[in-house]
Amino acid sequence: MSGGLLIAGTTSDAGKSVVTAGICRWLVRQGVKVAPFKAQNMSLNSFVTREGAEIGRAQAMQAQAARVEPTALMNPVLLKPGSDRSSQVVLMGKPVGEMSARGYHGGRQEALLGTVLDCLAELRGTYDAVICEGAGSPAEINLRRTDIVNMGVARGARLPVLVVGDIDRGGVFASFFGTVALLSREDQELVAGFLVNKFRGDVSLLEPGLDMLRDLTGRPSYGVLPFQHGLGIDEEDGLRVSLRGSVRESAVSSPAGEDILRVAVCAIPLMSNFTDVDALAAEPGVVVRFVDRPEELTDADLVVIPGTRGTVKALEWLRERGLAEELRRRAAAGRPVLGICGGFQVLGEHIEDDVESRRGHVEGLGLLPVRVRFAREKTLTRPVGEALGEHVEGYEIHHGVADVTGGDPFLDGCRVGAVWGTHWHGSLESDGFRRAFLREVAAAAGRRFVPAAGTSFAALREEQLDRLGDLIEEHADTDALWRLIESGAPSGLPFIPPGAPA
């Protein structure tokens, strides 16, 4: 068997990533050797594979759902925005340059279709099934000519397409119908049906609409997934504590000690890998929130400055909003601050940047004895080490090279008083290290907080992935889904006018 399926969506954030992960977990539990695939991803949340390739974190999460090691084949093209108009293009895990949106869609993207299809073919030759995720909507008719991630890849690999719609937003029936009706006849031939996501209430009230949709389009619905909190793991972009919560503040479990810990994450521009704080949000008694005003740091026991694709821009933003001065006051008072990657770089003495911002010499906040020089070659590694007496694993994604001239060693960075800095993403997922770090934070903050001894971030992540698999198994028509993956789109699907030009 060499089956495949493309999960498209009526909109961005319709649930494509979650549904793809859920199908991968359902299939692997059935003994199917399955892999995820997303031809082109636009995201500032990325991950480093074991071979040193950079891919979207969503695809790394989907690989975990499939219980396979992530590789560059699973996300051959990654776009990392640096502004509203340009992105760094990462091809097969390595950066190949900065490009404007017009330049990319004007020819570069279309030229990558062969690479994308080759990667997909290699995966299909290795796995029983490959579950592909689209991007945005397949009905973006202004971009169809150069598309390599939605109907372009579906047509190129003859993949059946399942369209996911978020009913919680409203207008899902119109979105389903309109999506199909805006596709060309050749594209419509591959759209097999629909999957409703985030439904609240009695499904029987929805069924007449699903029946009418089938009559109108000749295509069935493959299931109705109920709304569930806390499933947005490893989001592509947006402010979300993805393991436990909402946009502004995570839910908090009862603390093991007498006090809770409050963590404020500075919502800096072009914030990347904000998923680093998920492991903190997973700890009972830890409240995590994203902030953008200096007064919001006042009651925080720990302030985190996360990674960013615009270090100099983030530094300017911190100064403009008064957050830089508040961070200096915190450091002088011995109150905890943690900088990760770009957040580590802004805490240093100065930055020499002729690569990312091309601003040359820029003064940092001066809270750590570190000088940063931006190199054209990007560091992509999976380091392993020890800190605070505990084993630590992480991954690095940065152009900035740090010259640490003082302080106490801390991973690849340093510590001065209650200010820590490191380039290591993902380090807080190491349970022993996270607990040791939180004990240090609690002591410096004067809190009687005790980390819960049994919290395992890896186990919590597995529980979430199993919940996604359960959603598919319990609420999707898995027999029909299996036939679709194995045999492709049914023949004779009707054309829905007006359609788009071929």
Side-chain angles (χ1 to χ4, degrees):
M1 172 190 174
S2 180
L5 175 66
L6 177 73
I7 305 299
T10 55
T11 61
S12 294
D13 202 29
K16 296 184 292 290
S17 295
V18 165
V19 168
T20 300
I23 292 175
C24 285
R25 179 49 60 102
W26 162 63
L27 285 172
V28 78
R29 293 196 305 207
Q30 310 307 308
V32 177
K33 188 179 179 184
V34 59
F37 178 78
K38 185 163 185 173
Q40 174 190 288
N41 199 348
M42 177 174 279
S43 178
L44 288 173
N45 282 339
S46 58
F47 181 76
V48 179
T49 67
R50 293 204 182 278
E51 69 267 28
E54 185 180 8
I55 66 171
R57 271 199 68 95
Q59 279 60 66
M61 175 270 291
Q62 291 161 355
Q64 188 175 349
R67 296 179 180 145
V68 297
E69 189 66 33
T71 73
L73 291 172
M74 297 172 184
N75 179 205
V77 182
L78 173 64
L79 305 179
K80 302 193 73 173
S83 71
D84 291 341
R85 293 178 176 270
S86 68
S87 295
Q88 183 181 64
V89 181
V90 179
L91 179 62
M92 295 304 295
K94 304 295 179 185
V96 294
E98 202 83 14
M99 188 165 287
S100 69
R102 179 177 292 276
Y104 182 69
H105 290 288
R108 173 65 166 166
Q109 182 185 37
E110 191 175 11
L112 294 174
L113 181 59
T115 299
V116 163
L117 293 176
D118 287 345
C119 290
L120 178 55
E122 188 170 341
L123 287 174
R124 296 184 78 180
T126 306
Y127 293 89
D128 299 329
V130 178
I131 308 303
C132 307
E133 179 187 346
S137 163
E140 292 167 352
I141 53 178
N142 56 314
L143 301 176
R144 176 62 185 92
R145 182 182 63 81
T146 60
D147 171 52
I148 64 169
V149 65
N150 289 305
M151 300 312 300
V153 74
R155 285 266 294 276
R158 302 307 299 170
L159 292 173
V161 178
L162 187 64
V163 181
V164 177
D166 178 359
I167 197 170
D168 198 49
R169 293 184 174 187
V172 74
F173 292 118
S175 297
F176 280 144
F177 184 88
T179 296
V180 179
L182 278 177
L183 299 179
S184 68
R185 184 181 299 273
E186 293 81 0
D187 286 351
Q188 287 191 27
E189 289 174 356
L190 294 173
V191 178
F194 313 103
L195 185 70
V196 177
N197 192 28
K198 299 183 184 178
F199 180 72
R200 307 172 192 249
D202 185 347
V203 176
S204 66
L205 298 176
L206 191 66
E207 287 171 351
L210 298 177
D211 291 340
M212 284 186 274
L213 183 67
R214 180 168 191 158
D215 292 341
L216 286 166
T217 67
R219 292 161 173 85
S221 296
Y222 283 73
V224 177
L225 307 184
F227 186 98
Q228 289 195 13
H229 288 284
L231 292 181
I233 52 180
D234 288 13
E235 299 286 336
E236 291 186 352
D237 281 306
L239 286 177
R240 185 183 297 272
V241 177
S242 56
L243 197 76
R244 294 244 179 200
S246 62
V247 170
R248 295 290 293 183
E249 188 169 320
S250 65
V252 60
S253 305
S254 299
E258 296 180 46
D259 289 343
I260 65 170
L261 278 185
R262 295 175 176 86
V263 179
V265 184
C266 294
I268 56 179
L270 298 173
M271 183 168 54
S272 62
N273 287 69
F274 57 84
T275 47
D276 283 333
V277 300
D278 286 356
L280 295 177
E283 283 285 343
V286 176
V287 179
V288 178
R289 55 203 166 103
F290 289 90
V291 303
D292 55 13
R293 299 190 301 267
E295 57 268 28
E296 293 179 293
L297 304 187
T298 306
D299 67 344
D301 301 307
L302 169 66
V303 174
V304 177
I305 309 174
T308 173
R309 180 74 170 95
T311 301
V312 171
K313 186 179 291 188
L315 190 53
E316 292 174 342
W317 182 87
L318 290 168
R319 286 180 169 132
E320 289 167 0
R321 290 183 169 257
L323 288 158
E325 192 56 39
E326 184 60 33
L327 288 167
R328 288 194 184 94
R329 281 195 287 267
R330 286 186 66 89
R335 302 181 67 198
V337 176
L338 170 64
I340 302 174
C341 200
F344 166 40
Q345 295 167 9
V346 305
L347 294 175
E349 295 169 351
H350 68 252
I351 297 167
E352 292 289 342
D353 181 10
D354 295 318
V355 176
E356 192 175 76
S357 69
R358 298 181 175 87
R359 293 281 296 278
H361 183 93
V362 179
E363 292 297 317
L365 297 183
L367 301 184
L368 291 175
V370 177
R371 297 167 185 172
V372 177
R373 175 185 56 82
F374 272 66
R376 297 198 177 278
E377 195 73 22
K378 182 184 279 193
T379 297
L380 296 168
T381 63
R382 290 271 291 269
V384 176
E386 185 176 299
L388 305 179
E390 298 287 347
H391 176 78
V392 191
E393 298 182 17
Y395 57 99
E396 296 185 51
I397 306 169
H398 55 91
H399 284 280
V401 179
D403 178 19
V404 180
T405 60
D408 297 322
F410 179 69
L411 301 176
D412 71 328
C414 65
R415 170 188 181 177
V416 174
V419 180
W420 293 267
T422 177
H423 276 128
W424 289 25
H425 293 292
S427 60
L428 293 167
E429 295 179 19
S430 298
D431 297 325
F433 167 71
R434 181 180 65 254
R435 287 192 280 267
F437 177 72
L438 289 176
R439 283 192 289 269
E440 294 260 348
V441 168
R447 297 288 185 187
R448 290 171 293 183
F449 170 84
V450 178
T455 303
S456 166
F457 184 80
L460 287 170
R461 173 54 55 87
E462 278 298 303
E463 287 177 16
Q464 276 195 307
L465 294 173
D466 276 331
R467 286 176 64 199
L468 298 183
D470 292 344
L471 267 181
I472 299 300
E473 193 165 332
E474 296 169 10
H475 300 283
D477 185 343
T478 52
D479 289 340
L481 200 57
W482 177 252
R483 288 193 298 271
L484 193 60
I485 294 168
E486 191 175 32
S487 304
S491 60
L493 291 170
F495 172 70
I496 308 301

